[in-house]
Amino acid sequence: STPWLNCGVLSPNVTLAEVAREAGVGLATASRALRDSPGVAAATRGRVRAVAERLAALEAEVGSSASSQ
């Protein structure tokens, strides 16, 4: 099960591992941040969500340009 996928930020083609690596946190921290679980600092939560949104936007942009060709 991937509850963090339903957080409204990630797309199916962006992995939690990518988000964690880019945000400089572990997988568990990235997962907790995206699920708004307690125990994650506000700054960390914001950084993880920002990275996830950026990666999802990049993925959508790539997908959009590929489908329009």
Side-chain angles (χ1 to χ4, degrees):
S1 174
T2 54
W4 47 265
L5 187 59
N6 299 323
C7 68
V9 177
L10 292 181
S11 75
N13 295 323
V14 176
T15 68
L16 184 61
E18 290 173 309
V19 172
R21 184 178 59 248
E22 290 285 324
V25 299
L27 287 172
T29 300
S31 178
R32 285 193 306 269
L34 291 173
R35 288 183 289 122
D36 289 328
S37 295
V40 179
T44 301
R45 185 183 319 277
R47 185 170 73 248
V48 169
R49 290 190 75 81
V51 167
E53 289 169 1
R54 180 176 55 81
L55 291 176
L58 285 172
E59 180 64 34
E61 192 176 298
V62 168
S64 174
S65 67
S67 66
S68 65
Q69 291 179 358

